[in-house]
Amino acid sequence: QVQLVESGGGLVQAGGSLRLSCVASGRTFSRSAKGWFRQAPGKEREFVAGISWSGTTDYADSVRGRFTISRDNAKNTVYLQMNSLKPEDTAVYYCAAERSGNIYYVPLLLPEYDYWGQGTQVTVSS
């Protein structure tokens, strides 16, 4: 079993920055892709950013150029640097991991991920 624990959420003014972290523990899959999703009240959970084990990245159009995903495989940690935050970025952010073993693939769809964290709240005030 894999446990994912997010941290770094909080309240920030529009234009500000936050850095989310997600630490994986337990039966970690050394070559798994990681992703960040978010869910705003009344909306479906949506893809934000993903990174393969080899470092390939992909982003939702709404965050491209503002958010950066990165990972430290030695620490089993993935990060999401969020800059130029907007009120519409307000949501619960979830870390996710998959176990396909494809070191170059970045899953974009929610069902492709096998493990999820409990989420961390990000609130951006206008």
Side-chain angles (χ1 to χ4, degrees):
Q1 193 69 8
V2 175
Q3 292 81 42
L4 302 173
V5 179
E6 304 98 334
S7 62
L11 173 64
V12 64
Q13 289 188 333
S17 298
L18 283 174
R19 188 195 196 203
L20 305 183
S21 299
C22 172
V23 180
S25 61
R27 186 189 175 190
T28 56
F29 296 92
S30 61
R31 297 191 172 191
S32 68
K34 301 294 194 298
W36 287 97
F37 286 73
R38 67 186 180 187
Q39 188 167 17
K43 296 188 177 181
E44 294 185 352
R45 192 172 299 189
E46 63 176 3
F47 173 80
V48 174
I51 186 167
S52 70
W53 181 85
S54 63
T56 303
T57 59
D58 206 347
Y59 299 90
D61 289 341
S62 59
V63 307
R64 195 182 305 274
R66 299 188 297 121
F67 291 10
T68 302
I69 188 170
S70 60
R71 63 188 296 166
D72 185 332
N73 290 335
K75 295 181 178 179
N76 288 324
T77 301
V78 62
Y79 306 97
L80 185 68
Q81 177 67 43
M82 305 186 294
N83 298 329
S84 302
L85 283 161
K86 304 175 181 180
E88 51 264 44
D89 295 318
T90 295
V92 177
Y93 283 71
Y94 297 91
C95 175
E98 59 83 51
R99 56 182 180 181
S100 71
N102 186 329
I103 65 173
Y104 303 108
Y105 182 55
V106 181
L108 305 182
L109 302 178
L110 193 149
E112 295 183 281
Y113 288 87
D114 301 288
Y115 304 99
W116 294 86
Q118 82 289 350
T120 185
Q121 176 70 46
V122 172
T123 302
V124 184
S125 63
S126 58

